[in-house]
Amino acid sequence: MFLLAGPASAHVGVEPQGEAAKGGYAVINFKVPNERDDASTTKLEVNLPADHPLASVMPQPVPGWKAVVTMEKLAKPLEMHGNTIAEAATKVTWTSTGGKIGPGEFQQFPLSVGKLPEDTDQLVFKALQTYDNKEVVRWIEEPKEGAEEPESPAPVLKLSAATGDEHGGAGHDAGAGTDADADADKATAKTAAQQNGTTETASAGGGDSSDTTARVLGITGIVVGVAGVAFGVLAGRRRTTT
């Protein structure tokens, strides 16, 4: 019974880092466990939902893996940031370049995605997991509410309610949409850079802090110098008077 129950629970899944709010941007992780004792996972293909296309899809680099985003023209273009988007990502493929998911191991593959749709409560991502023995496991069965979990369930991302802090949420004024979306892209890029382990943002912040400290110390030195000169002049006058 234990051997039969194990593989059923070890399937490809997806979870957000933080919240995945409707109308906003999010970083989501695809968690891929290895459910074979005699083979390693060397490839993952994730098909993005065609009924709710995502205009912005950015994979985070994973050591030992190459990520390729497949783009296709949309039957119905999207409006985003005041521009018309004619194509969107339809699939992301991670292929081993030396890395692998061995028996008893798992790997996470992060994606920055947006804007998330506002007219659904979840997104279904159908995934294909390939092993080094050429076996392909198809995680493509959509779970149904109230029914038992299928044998090969597709990863499902649950979306939370939109808030005023999310892009495209009800809290934004219509005239501020473009600026808010531009800020969203910058925030998404910054998040991806931080997760990649880069130090550019941190270094830039350290440089600004050092410049500010230098200015404060310089001004303080000038003030102290002026005070010293004034004190010397007053002392000289007192001696002359005496």
Side-chain angles (χ1 to χ4, degrees), residues 107-145:
Q107 176 67 57
Q108 295 193 86
F109 299 92
L111 277 182
S112 173
V113 298
K115 287 183 174 182
L116 297 174
E118 301 182 60
D119 58 350
T120 184
D121 294 326
Q122 65 181 30
L123 293 177
V124 178
F125 300 85
K126 296 183 179 181
L128 303 181
Q129 181 179 8
T130 303
Y131 289 87
D132 56 8
N133 61 2
K134 307 304 180 183
E135 178 188 6
V136 177
V137 180
R138 302 169 62 85
W139 304 102
I140 61 174
E141 298 180 60
E142 185 173 347
K144 302 296 182 182
E145 187 175 355

PDB file of all heavy atoms in Angstrom, residues 107-145:
ATOM      1  N   GLN A 107      13.493  19.351  -7.847  1.00  0.00           N
ATOM      2  CA  GLN A 107      14.062  20.615  -8.311  1.00  0.00           C
ATOM      3  C   GLN A 107      12.927  21.608  -8.510  1.00  0.00           C
ATOM      4  O   GLN A 107      11.825  21.229  -8.921  1.00  0.00           O
ATOM      5  CB  GLN A 107      14.813  20.413  -9.624  1.00  0.00           C
ATOM      6  CG  GLN A 107      15.374  21.688 -10.246  1.00  0.00           C
ATOM      7  CD  GLN A 107      16.482  22.291  -9.417  1.00  0.00           C
ATOM      8  OE1 GLN A 107      17.482  21.628  -9.136  1.00  0.00           O
ATOM      9  NE2 GLN A 107      16.318  23.540  -9.011  1.00  0.00           N
ATOM     10  N   GLN A 108      13.198  22.888  -8.222  1.00  0.00           N
ATOM     11  CA  GLN A 108      12.220  23.937  -8.462  1.00  0.00           C
ATOM     12  C   GLN A 108      12.647  24.789  -9.654  1.00  0.00           C
ATOM     13  O   GLN A 108      13.822  25.123  -9.790  1.00  0.00           O
ATOM     14  CB  GLN A 108      12.043  24.813  -7.221  1.00  0.00           C
ATOM     15  CG  GLN A 108      11.449  24.073  -6.043  1.00  0.00           C
ATOM     16  CD  GLN A 108      10.991  25.016  -4.951  1.00  0.00           C
ATOM     17  OE1 GLN A 108       9.886  25.533  -4.967  1.00  0.00           O
ATOM     18  NE2 GLN A 108      11.850  25.238  -3.977  1.00  0.00           N
ATOM     19  N   PHE A 109      11.680  25.138 -10.479  1.00  0.00           N
ATOM     20  CA  PHE A 109      11.913  25.962 -11.668  1.00  0.00           C
ATOM     21  C   PHE A 109      11.028  27.206 -11.572  1.00  0.00           C
ATOM     22  O   PHE A 109       9.825  27.128 -11.834  1.00  0.00           O
ATOM     23  CB  PHE A 109      11.600  25.173 -12.939  1.00  0.00           C
ATOM     24  CG  PHE A 109      12.455  23.947 -13.124  1.00  0.00           C
ATOM     25  CD1 PHE A 109      12.041  22.711 -12.650  1.00  0.00           C
ATOM     26  CD2 PHE A 109      13.680  24.034 -13.763  1.00  0.00           C
ATOM     27  CE1 PHE A 109      12.823  21.580 -12.812  1.00  0.00           C
ATOM     28  CE2 PHE A 109      14.478  22.906 -13.933  1.00  0.00           C
ATOM     29  CZ  PHE A 109      14.060  21.680 -13.452  1.00  0.00           C
ATOM     30  N   PRO A 110      11.597  28.377 -11.216  1.00  0.00           N
ATOM     31  CA  PRO A 110      10.796  29.583 -11.021  1.00  0.00           C
ATOM     32  C   PRO A 110      10.532  30.347 -12.318  1.00  0.00           C
ATOM     33  O   PRO A 110      11.365  30.397 -13.218  1.00  0.00           O
ATOM     34  CB  PRO A 110      11.652  30.433 -10.069  1.00  0.00           C
ATOM     35  CG  PRO A 110      12.749  29.522  -9.581  1.00  0.00           C
ATOM     36  CD  PRO A 110      12.953  28.536 -10.685  1.00  0.00           C
ATOM     37  N   LEU A 111       9.342  30.961 -12.366  1.00  0.00           N
ATOM     38  CA  LEU A 111       8.942  31.825 -13.467  1.00  0.00           C
ATOM     39  C   LEU A 111       8.338  33.105 -12.909  1.00  0.00           C
ATOM     40  O   LEU A 111       7.569  33.067 -11.944  1.00  0.00           O
ATOM     41  CB  LEU A 111       7.870  31.154 -14.336  1.00  0.00           C
ATOM     42  CG  LEU A 111       8.251  30.164 -15.429  1.00  0.00           C
ATOM     43  CD1 LEU A 111       6.989  29.719 -16.154  1.00  0.00           C
ATOM     44  CD2 LEU A 111       9.237  30.774 -16.405  1.00  0.00           C
ATOM     45  N   SER A 112       8.676  34.225 -13.524  1.00  0.00           N
ATOM     46  CA  SER A 112       7.988  35.479 -13.240  1.00  0.00           C
ATOM     47  C   SER A 112       6.936  35.654 -14.321  1.00  0.00           C
ATOM     48  O   SER A 112       7.251  35.643 -15.515  1.00  0.00           O
ATOM     49  CB  SER A 112       8.980  36.653 -13.259  1.00  0.00           C
ATOM     50  OG  SER A 112       8.282  37.882 -13.144  1.00  0.00           O
ATOM     51  N   VAL A 113       5.664  35.800 -13.929  1.00  0.00           N
ATOM     52  CA  VAL A 113       4.571  35.847 -14.903  1.00  0.00           C
ATOM     53  C   VAL A 113       3.627  37.010 -14.632  1.00  0.00           C
ATOM     54  O   VAL A 113       3.515  37.504 -13.510  1.00  0.00           O
ATOM     55  CB  VAL A 113       3.763  34.526 -14.906  1.00  0.00           C
ATOM     56  CG1 VAL A 113       4.633  33.355 -15.319  1.00  0.00           C
ATOM     57  CG2 VAL A 113       3.148  34.272 -13.530  1.00  0.00           C
ATOM     58  N   GLY A 114       2.938  37.466 -15.671  1.00  0.00           N
ATOM     59  CA  GLY A 114       1.942  38.517 -15.532  1.00  0.00           C
ATOM     60  C   GLY A 114       1.474  38.975 -16.909  1.00  0.00           C
ATOM     61  O   GLY A 114       2.061  38.598 -17.916  1.00  0.00           O
ATOM     62  N   LYS A 115       0.464  39.789 -16.961  1.00  0.00           N
ATOM     63  CA  LYS A 115      -0.482  39.974 -15.883  1.00  0.00           C
ATOM     64  C   LYS A 115      -1.333  38.723 -15.722  1.00  0.00           C
ATOM     65  O   LYS A 115      -1.705  38.103 -16.713  1.00  0.00           O
ATOM     66  CB  LYS A 115      -1.405  41.142 -16.179  1.00  0.00           C
ATOM     67  CG  LYS A 115      -0.812  42.512 -16.060  1.00  0.00           C
ATOM     68  CD  LYS A 115      -1.929  43.528 -16.317  1.00  0.00           C
ATOM     69  CE  LYS A 115      -1.463  44.932 -16.074  1.00  0.00           C
ATOM     70  NZ  LYS A 115      -2.559  45.912 -16.268  1.00  0.00           N
ATOM     71  N   LEU A 116      -1.666  38.397 -14.479  1.00  0.00           N
ATOM     72  CA  LEU A 116      -2.538  37.272 -14.227  1.00  0.00           C
ATOM     73  C   LEU A 116      -3.979  37.668 -14.564  1.00  0.00           C
ATOM     74  O   LEU A 116      -4.374  38.816 -14.365  1.00  0.00           O
ATOM     75  CB  LEU A 116      -2.427  36.842 -12.765  1.00  0.00           C
ATOM     76  CG  LEU A 116      -1.039  36.340 -12.340  1.00  0.00           C
ATOM     77  CD1 LEU A 116      -1.009  36.077 -10.846  1.00  0.00           C
ATOM     78  CD2 LEU A 116      -0.652  35.089 -13.110  1.00  0.00           C
ATOM     79  N   PRO A 117      -4.773  36.743 -15.090  1.00  0.00           N
ATOM     80  CA  PRO A 117      -6.146  37.075 -15.484  1.00  0.00           C
ATOM     81  C   PRO A 117      -7.007  37.438 -14.280  1.00  0.00           C
ATOM     82  O   PRO A 117      -6.733  37.025 -13.156  1.00  0.00           O
ATOM     83  CB  PRO A 117      -6.637  35.794 -16.156  1.00  0.00           C
ATOM     84  CG  PRO A 117      -5.788  34.712 -15.563  1.00  0.00           C
ATOM     85  CD  PRO A 117      -4.445  35.327 -15.320  1.00  0.00           C
ATOM     86  N   GLU A 118      -8.058  38.188 -14.548  1.00  0.00           N
ATOM     87  CA  GLU A 118      -8.985  38.603 -13.503  1.00  0.00           C
ATOM     88  C   GLU A 118     -10.320  37.868 -13.574  1.00  0.00           C
ATOM     89  O   GLU A 118     -11.173  38.056 -12.702  1.00  0.00           O
ATOM     90  CB  GLU A 118      -9.221  40.117 -13.587  1.00  0.00           C
ATOM     91  CG  GLU A 118      -7.949  40.933 -13.436  1.00  0.00           C
ATOM     92  CD  GLU A 118      -8.221  42.432 -13.485  1.00  0.00           C
ATOM     93  OE1 GLU A 118      -8.982  42.925 -12.635  1.00  0.00           O
ATOM     94  OE2 GLU A 118      -7.666  43.104 -14.372  1.00  0.00           O
ATOM     95  N   ASP A 119     -10.495  37.051 -14.616  1.00  0.00           N
ATOM     96  CA  ASP A 119     -11.791  36.397 -14.821  1.00  0.00           C
ATOM     97  C   ASP A 119     -11.767  34.898 -14.540  1.00  0.00           C
ATOM     98  O   ASP A 119     -12.598  34.145 -15.050  1.00  0.00           O
ATOM     99  CB  ASP A 119     -12.276  36.648 -16.249  1.00  0.00           C
ATOM    100  CG  ASP A 119     -11.279  36.153 -17.306  1.00  0.00           C
ATOM    101  OD1 ASP A 119     -10.150  35.789 -16.920  1.00  0.00           O
ATOM    102  OD2 ASP A 119     -11.636  36.138 -18.491  1.00  0.00           O
ATOM    103  N   THR A 120     -10.785  34.442 -13.751  1.00  0.00           N
ATOM    104  CA  THR A 120     -10.735  33.031 -13.369  1.00  0.00           C
ATOM    105  C   THR A 120     -10.093  32.900 -11.998  1.00  0.00           C
ATOM    106  O   THR A 120      -9.370  33.803 -11.551  1.00  0.00           O
ATOM    107  CB  THR A 120      -9.944  32.207 -14.406  1.00  0.00           C
ATOM    108  OG1 THR A 120     -10.002  30.816 -14.052  1.00  0.00           O
ATOM    109  CG2 THR A 120      -8.477  32.638 -14.454  1.00  0.00           C
ATOM    110  N   ASP A 121     -10.360  31.783 -11.330  1.00  0.00           N
ATOM    111  CA  ASP A 121      -9.812  31.550  -9.992  1.00  0.00           C
ATOM    112  C   ASP A 121      -8.559  30.688 -10.014  1.00  0.00           C
ATOM    113  O   ASP A 121      -7.914  30.507  -8.981  1.00  0.00           O
ATOM    114  CB  ASP A 121     -10.869  30.880  -9.093  1.00  0.00           C
ATOM    115  CG  ASP A 121     -12.050  31.789  -8.822  1.00  0.00           C
ATOM    116  OD1 ASP A 121     -11.846  33.015  -8.729  1.00  0.00           O
ATOM    117  OD2 ASP A 121     -13.186  31.276  -8.716  1.00  0.00           O
ATOM    118  N   GLN A 122      -8.216  30.141 -11.171  1.00  0.00           N
ATOM    119  CA  GLN A 122      -7.052  29.274 -11.239  1.00  0.00           C
ATOM    120  C   GLN A 122      -6.526  29.176 -12.661  1.00  0.00           C
ATOM    121  O   GLN A 122      -7.228  29.479 -13.626  1.00  0.00           O
ATOM    122  CB  GLN A 122      -7.388  27.867 -10.728  1.00  0.00           C
ATOM    123  CG  GLN A 122      -8.414  27.134 -11.586  1.00  0.00           C
ATOM    124  CD  GLN A 122      -8.743  25.756 -11.053  1.00  0.00           C
ATOM    125  OE1 GLN A 122      -8.698  25.501  -9.852  1.00  0.00           O
ATOM    126  NE2 GLN A 122      -9.074  24.832 -11.944  1.00  0.00           N
ATOM    127  N   LEU A 123      -5.260  28.785 -12.771  1.00  0.00           N
ATOM    128  CA  LEU A 123      -4.626  28.540 -14.058  1.00  0.00           C
ATOM    129  C   LEU A 123      -4.094  27.109 -14.073  1.00  0.00           C
ATOM    130  O   LEU A 123      -3.480  26.668 -13.093  1.00  0.00           O
ATOM    131  CB  LEU A 123      -3.482  29.522 -14.307  1.00  0.00           C
ATOM    132  CG  LEU A 123      -3.855  30.993 -14.505  1.00  0.00           C
ATOM    133  CD1 LEU A 123      -2.587  31.835 -14.663  1.00  0.00           C
ATOM    134  CD2 LEU A 123      -4.758  31.170 -15.715  1.00  0.00           C
ATOM    135  N   VAL A 124      -4.313  26.415 -15.158  1.00  0.00           N
ATOM    136  CA  VAL A 124      -3.862  25.029 -15.294  1.00  0.00           C
ATOM    137  C   VAL A 124      -2.662  24.987 -16.245  1.00  0.00           C
ATOM    138  O   VAL A 124      -2.733  25.498 -17.363  1.00  0.00           O
ATOM    139  CB  VAL A 124      -4.986  24.121 -15.827  1.00  0.00           C
ATOM    140  CG1 VAL A 124      -4.480  22.690 -15.995  1.00  0.00           C
ATOM    141  CG2 VAL A 124      -6.189  24.158 -14.887  1.00  0.00           C
ATOM    142  N   PHE A 125      -1.564  24.400 -15.780  1.00  0.00           N
ATOM    143  CA  PHE A 125      -0.348  24.266 -16.571  1.00  0.00           C
ATOM    144  C   PHE A 125      -0.099  22.775 -16.826  1.00  0.00           C
ATOM    145  O   PHE A 125       0.177  22.036 -15.882  1.00  0.00           O
ATOM    146  CB  PHE A 125       0.855  24.847 -15.837  1.00  0.00           C
ATOM    147  CG  PHE A 125       0.736  26.313 -15.503  1.00  0.00           C
ATOM    148  CD1 PHE A 125       0.088  26.723 -14.354  1.00  0.00           C
ATOM    149  CD2 PHE A 125       1.280  27.276 -16.346  1.00  0.00           C
ATOM    150  CE1 PHE A 125      -0.017  28.073 -14.035  1.00  0.00           C
ATOM    151  CE2 PHE A 125       1.185  28.621 -16.042  1.00  0.00           C
ATOM    152  CZ  PHE A 125       0.528  29.026 -14.885  1.00  0.00           C
ATOM    153  N   LYS A 126      -0.187  22.360 -18.075  1.00  0.00           N
ATOM    154  CA  LYS A 126       0.071  20.956 -18.393  1.00  0.00           C
ATOM    155  C   LYS A 126       1.571  20.756 -18.589  1.00  0.00           C
ATOM    156  O   LYS A 126       2.214  21.534 -19.285  1.00  0.00           O
ATOM    157  CB  LYS A 126      -0.708  20.546 -19.639  1.00  0.00           C
ATOM    158  CG  LYS A 126      -2.223  20.613 -19.419  1.00  0.00           C
ATOM    159  CD  LYS A 126      -3.004  20.143 -20.634  1.00  0.00           C
ATOM    160  CE  LYS A 126      -4.500  20.200 -20.342  1.00  0.00           C
ATOM    161  NZ  LYS A 126      -5.309  19.718 -21.493  1.00  0.00           N
ATOM    162  N   ALA A 127       2.108  19.723 -17.948  1.00  0.00           N
ATOM    163  CA  ALA A 127       3.564  19.531 -17.925  1.00  0.00           C
ATOM    164  C   ALA A 127       3.960  18.135 -18.402  1.00  0.00           C
ATOM    165  O   ALA A 127       3.239  17.152 -18.184  1.00  0.00           O
ATOM    166  CB  ALA A 127       4.088  19.756 -16.504  1.00  0.00           C
ATOM    167  N   LEU A 128       5.124  18.073 -19.043  1.00  0.00           N
ATOM    168  CA  LEU A 128       5.714  16.802 -19.474  1.00  0.00           C
ATOM    169  C   LEU A 128       7.076  16.657 -18.804  1.00  0.00           C
ATOM    170  O   LEU A 128       7.924  17.546 -18.901  1.00  0.00           O
ATOM    171  CB  LEU A 128       5.889  16.758 -20.996  1.00  0.00           C
ATOM    172  CG  LEU A 128       4.636  16.974 -21.854  1.00  0.00           C
ATOM    173  CD1 LEU A 128       4.997  16.864 -23.337  1.00  0.00           C
ATOM    174  CD2 LEU A 128       3.554  15.975 -21.509  1.00  0.00           C
ATOM    175  N   GLN A 129       7.269  15.529 -18.126  1.00  0.00           N
ATOM    176  CA  GLN A 129       8.514  15.250 -17.411  1.00  0.00           C
ATOM    177  C   GLN A 129       9.248  14.115 -18.119  1.00  0.00           C
ATOM    178  O   GLN A 129       8.710  13.020 -18.278  1.00  0.00           O
ATOM    179  CB  GLN A 129       8.203  14.867 -15.961  1.00  0.00           C
ATOM    180  CG  GLN A 129       9.416  14.569 -15.110  1.00  0.00           C
ATOM    181  CD  GLN A 129       9.027  14.224 -13.669  1.00  0.00           C
ATOM    182  OE1 GLN A 129       7.844  14.075 -13.349  1.00  0.00           O
ATOM    183  NE2 GLN A 129      10.016  14.094 -12.800  1.00  0.00           N
ATOM    184  N   THR A 130      10.481  14.390 -18.571  1.00  0.00           N
ATOM    185  CA  THR A 130      11.248  13.397 -19.317  1.00  0.00           C
ATOM    186  C   THR A 130      12.425  12.891 -18.494  1.00  0.00           C
ATOM    187  O   THR A 130      13.150  13.683 -17.866  1.00  0.00           O
ATOM    188  CB  THR A 130      11.773  13.992 -20.643  1.00  0.00           C
ATOM    189  OG1 THR A 130      10.666  14.469 -21.408  1.00  0.00           O
ATOM    190  CG2 THR A 130      12.533  12.947 -21.448  1.00  0.00           C
ATOM    191  N   TYR A 131      12.614  11.561 -18.507  1.00  0.00           N
ATOM    192  CA  TYR A 131      13.717  10.915 -17.781  1.00  0.00           C
ATOM    193  C   TYR A 131      14.841  10.554 -18.751  1.00  0.00           C
ATOM    194  O   TYR A 131      14.648  10.527 -19.970  1.00  0.00           O
ATOM    195  CB  TYR A 131      13.205   9.659 -17.070  1.00  0.00           C
ATOM    196  CG  TYR A 131      12.305   9.954 -15.882  1.00  0.00           C
ATOM    197  CD1 TYR A 131      10.942  10.143 -16.065  1.00  0.00           C
ATOM    198  CD2 TYR A 131      12.824  10.062 -14.602  1.00  0.00           C
ATOM    199  CE1 TYR A 131      10.109  10.417 -14.986  1.00  0.00           C
ATOM    200  CE2 TYR A 131      12.011  10.331 -13.517  1.00  0.00           C
ATOM    201  CZ  TYR A 131      10.653  10.516 -13.712  1.00  0.00           C
ATOM    202  OH  TYR A 131       9.834  10.798 -12.645  1.00  0.00           O
ATOM    203  N   ASP A 132      16.012  10.288 -18.188  1.00  0.00           N
ATOM    204  CA  ASP A 132      17.161   9.963 -19.033  1.00  0.00           C
ATOM    205  C   ASP A 132      17.064   8.592 -19.695  1.00  0.00           C
ATOM    206  O   ASP A 132      17.885   8.247 -20.548  1.00  0.00           O
ATOM    207  CB  ASP A 132      18.478  10.088 -18.255  1.00  0.00           C
ATOM    208  CG  ASP A 132      18.520   9.230 -17.005  1.00  0.00           C
ATOM    209  OD1 ASP A 132      17.594   8.409 -16.792  1.00  0.00           O
ATOM    210  OD2 ASP A 132      19.457   9.400 -16.201  1.00  0.00           O
ATOM    211  N   ASN A 133      16.049   7.790 -19.348  1.00  0.00           N
ATOM    212  CA  ASN A 133      15.803   6.525 -20.041  1.00  0.00           C
ATOM    213  C   ASN A 133      14.753   6.689 -21.149  1.00  0.00           C
ATOM    214  O   ASN A 133      14.214   5.712 -21.646  1.00  0.00           O
ATOM    215  CB  ASN A 133      15.367   5.441 -19.054  1.00  0.00           C
ATOM    216  CG  ASN A 133      14.064   5.802 -18.342  1.00  0.00           C
ATOM    217  OD1 ASN A 133      13.460   6.851 -18.611  1.00  0.00           O
ATOM    218  ND2 ASN A 133      13.621   4.940 -17.441  1.00  0.00           N
ATOM    219  N   LYS A 134      14.459   7.990 -21.484  1.00  0.00           N
ATOM    220  CA  LYS A 134      13.527   8.368 -22.561  1.00  0.00           C
ATOM    221  C   LYS A 134      12.056   8.250 -22.160  1.00  0.00           C
ATOM    222  O   LYS A 134      11.162   8.516 -22.982  1.00  0.00           O
ATOM    223  CB  LYS A 134      13.759   7.547 -23.842  1.00  0.00           C
ATOM    224  CG  LYS A 134      15.200   7.572 -24.344  1.00  0.00           C
ATOM    225  CD  LYS A 134      15.689   8.987 -24.585  1.00  0.00           C
ATOM    226  CE  LYS A 134      17.132   9.002 -25.082  1.00  0.00           C
ATOM    227  NZ  LYS A 134      17.653  10.381 -25.260  1.00  0.00           N
ATOM    228  N   GLU A 135      11.783   7.860 -20.931  1.00  0.00           N
ATOM    229  CA  GLU A 135      10.394   7.795 -20.478  1.00  0.00           C
ATOM    230  C   GLU A 135       9.834   9.214 -20.316  1.00  0.00           C
ATOM    231  O   GLU A 135      10.516  10.106 -19.813  1.00  0.00           O
ATOM    232  CB  GLU A 135      10.294   7.053 -19.142  1.00  0.00           C
ATOM    233  CG  GLU A 135       8.872   6.994 -18.603  1.00  0.00           C
ATOM    234  CD  GLU A 135       8.796   6.434 -17.192  1.00  0.00           C
ATOM    235  OE1 GLU A 135       9.862   6.201 -16.584  1.00  0.00           O
ATOM    236  OE2 GLU A 135       7.672   6.246 -16.692  1.00  0.00           O
ATOM    237  N   VAL A 136       8.597   9.427 -20.736  1.00  0.00           N
ATOM    238  CA  VAL A 136       7.930  10.717 -20.605  1.00  0.00           C
ATOM    239  C   VAL A 136       6.653  10.535 -19.785  1.00  0.00           C
ATOM    240  O   VAL A 136       5.799   9.701 -20.120  1.00  0.00           O
ATOM    241  CB  VAL A 136       7.578  11.318 -21.983  1.00  0.00           C
ATOM    242  CG1 VAL A 136       6.826  12.638 -21.809  1.00  0.00           C
ATOM    243  CG2 VAL A 136       8.833  11.526 -22.819  1.00  0.00           C
ATOM    244  N   VAL A 137       6.553  11.296 -18.702  1.00  0.00           N
ATOM    245  CA  VAL A 137       5.346  11.276 -17.869  1.00  0.00           C
ATOM    246  C   VAL A 137       4.567  12.542 -18.160  1.00  0.00           C
ATOM    247  O   VAL A 137       5.093  13.651 -18.062  1.00  0.00           O
ATOM    248  CB  VAL A 137       5.695  11.184 -16.371  1.00  0.00           C
ATOM    249  CG1 VAL A 137       4.422  11.167 -15.533  1.00  0.00           C
ATOM    250  CG2 VAL A 137       6.530   9.943 -16.089  1.00  0.00           C
ATOM    251  N   ARG A 138       3.281  12.378 -18.519  1.00  0.00           N
ATOM    252  CA  ARG A 138       2.448  13.503 -18.936  1.00  0.00           C
ATOM    253  C   ARG A 138       1.520  13.919 -17.790  1.00  0.00           C
ATOM    254  O   ARG A 138       0.545  13.228 -17.494  1.00  0.00           O
ATOM    255  CB  ARG A 138       1.630  13.106 -20.169  1.00  0.00           C
ATOM    256  CG  ARG A 138       2.508  12.674 -21.342  1.00  0.00           C
ATOM    257  CD  ARG A 138       1.697  12.021 -22.455  1.00  0.00           C
ATOM    258  NE  ARG A 138       0.730  12.956 -23.022  1.00  0.00           N
ATOM    259  CZ  ARG A 138       1.024  13.827 -23.988  1.00  0.00           C
ATOM    260  NH1 ARG A 138       2.268  13.891 -24.478  1.00  0.00           N
ATOM    261  NH2 ARG A 138       0.111  14.625 -24.472  1.00  0.00           N
ATOM    262  N   TRP A 139       1.850  15.055 -17.164  1.00  0.00           N
ATOM    263  CA  TRP A 139       1.016  15.592 -16.086  1.00  0.00           C
ATOM    264  C   TRP A 139       0.026  16.580 -16.714  1.00  0.00           C
ATOM    265  O   TRP A 139       0.247  17.779 -16.720  1.00  0.00           O
ATOM    266  CB  TRP A 139       1.890  16.281 -15.046  1.00  0.00           C
ATOM    267  CG  TRP A 139       2.970  15.398 -14.480  1.00  0.00           C
ATOM    268  CD1 TRP A 139       4.295  15.403 -14.794  1.00  0.00           C
ATOM    269  CD2 TRP A 139       2.808  14.371 -13.500  1.00  0.00           C
ATOM    270  NE1 TRP A 139       4.968  14.447 -14.083  1.00  0.00           N
ATOM    271  CE2 TRP A 139       4.082  13.794 -13.275  1.00  0.00           C
ATOM    272  CE3 TRP A 139       1.714  13.868 -12.786  1.00  0.00           C
ATOM    273  CZ2 TRP A 139       4.289  12.753 -12.378  1.00  0.00           C
ATOM    274  CZ3 TRP A 139       1.914  12.829 -11.899  1.00  0.00           C
ATOM    275  CH2 TRP A 139       3.184  12.291 -11.692  1.00  0.00           C
ATOM    276  N   ILE A 140      -1.062  16.040 -17.267  1.00  0.00           N
ATOM    277  CA  ILE A 140      -1.953  16.857 -18.091  1.00  0.00           C
ATOM    278  C   ILE A 140      -3.433  16.737 -17.717  1.00  0.00           C
ATOM    279  O   ILE A 140      -4.271  17.407 -18.324  1.00  0.00           O
ATOM    280  CB  ILE A 140      -1.795  16.493 -19.584  1.00  0.00           C
ATOM    281  CG1 ILE A 140      -2.155  15.033 -19.810  1.00  0.00           C
ATOM    282  CG2 ILE A 140      -0.357  16.778 -20.048  1.00  0.00           C
ATOM    283  CD1 ILE A 140      -2.170  14.644 -21.290  1.00  0.00           C
ATOM    284  N   GLU A 141      -3.766  15.919 -16.733  1.00  0.00           N
ATOM    285  CA  GLU A 141      -5.174  15.731 -16.374  1.00  0.00           C
ATOM    286  C   GLU A 141      -5.626  16.841 -15.422  1.00  0.00           C
ATOM    287  O   GLU A 141      -5.042  17.022 -14.354  1.00  0.00           O
ATOM    288  CB  GLU A 141      -5.377  14.362 -15.729  1.00  0.00           C
ATOM    289  CG  GLU A 141      -5.043  13.197 -16.659  1.00  0.00           C
ATOM    290  CD  GLU A 141      -5.260  11.859 -15.973  1.00  0.00           C
ATOM    291  OE1 GLU A 141      -6.397  11.588 -15.555  1.00  0.00           O
ATOM    292  OE2 GLU A 141      -4.275  11.095 -15.830  1.00  0.00           O
ATOM    293  N   GLU A 142      -6.650  17.573 -15.818  1.00  0.00           N
ATOM    294  CA  GLU A 142      -7.133  18.688 -15.004  1.00  0.00           C
ATOM    295  C   GLU A 142      -7.987  18.176 -13.846  1.00  0.00           C
ATOM    296  O   GLU A 142      -8.984  17.481 -14.066  1.00  0.00           O
ATOM    297  CB  GLU A 142      -7.953  19.649 -15.857  1.00  0.00           C
ATOM    298  CG  GLU A 142      -8.382  20.893 -15.118  1.00  0.00           C
ATOM    299  CD  GLU A 142      -9.040  21.909 -16.019  1.00  0.00           C
ATOM    300  OE1 GLU A 142      -8.942  21.745 -17.261  1.00  0.00           O
ATOM    301  OE2 GLU A 142      -9.651  22.858 -15.504  1.00  0.00           O
ATOM    302  N   PRO A 143      -7.608  18.491 -12.610  1.00  0.00           N
ATOM    303  CA  PRO A 143      -8.407  18.054 -11.462  1.00  0.00           C
ATOM    304  C   PRO A 143      -9.793  18.690 -11.484  1.00  0.00           C
ATOM    305  O   PRO A 143      -9.951  19.851 -11.859  1.00  0.00           O
ATOM    306  CB  PRO A 143      -7.591  18.556 -10.250  1.00  0.00           C
ATOM    307  CG  PRO A 143      -6.201  18.764 -10.784  1.00  0.00           C
ATOM    308  CD  PRO A 143      -6.388  19.203 -12.208  1.00  0.00           C
ATOM    309  N   LYS A 144     -10.783  17.932 -11.090  1.00  0.00           N
ATOM    310  CA  LYS A 144     -12.156  18.417 -11.036  1.00  0.00           C
ATOM    311  C   LYS A 144     -12.590  18.589  -9.579  1.00  0.00           C
ATOM    312  O   LYS A 144     -12.297  17.745  -8.730  1.00  0.00           O
ATOM    313  CB  LYS A 144     -13.104  17.433 -11.729  1.00  0.00           C
ATOM    314  CG  LYS A 144     -12.749  17.155 -13.190  1.00  0.00           C
ATOM    315  CD  LYS A 144     -12.882  18.403 -14.039  1.00  0.00           C
ATOM    316  CE  LYS A 144     -12.582  18.094 -15.514  1.00  0.00           C
ATOM    317  NZ  LYS A 144     -12.648  19.310 -16.371  1.00  0.00           N
ATOM    318  N   GLU A 145     -13.260  19.711  -9.302  1.00  0.00           N
ATOM    319  CA  GLU A 145     -13.693  19.998  -7.939  1.00  0.00           C
ATOM    320  C   GLU A 145     -14.674  18.935  -7.459  1.00  0.00           C
ATOM    321  O   GLU A 145     -15.634  18.590  -8.149  1.00  0.00           O
ATOM    322  CB  GLU A 145     -14.350  21.374  -7.884  1.00  0.00           C
ATOM    323  CG  GLU A 145     -14.682  21.829  -6.473  1.00  0.00           C
ATOM    324  CD  GLU A 145     -15.221  23.244  -6.425  1.00  0.00           C
ATOM    325  OE1 GLU A 145     -15.248  23.903  -7.492  1.00  0.00           O
ATOM    326  OE2 GLU A 145     -15.620  23.683  -5.335  1.00  0.00           O
TER     327      GLU A 145
END
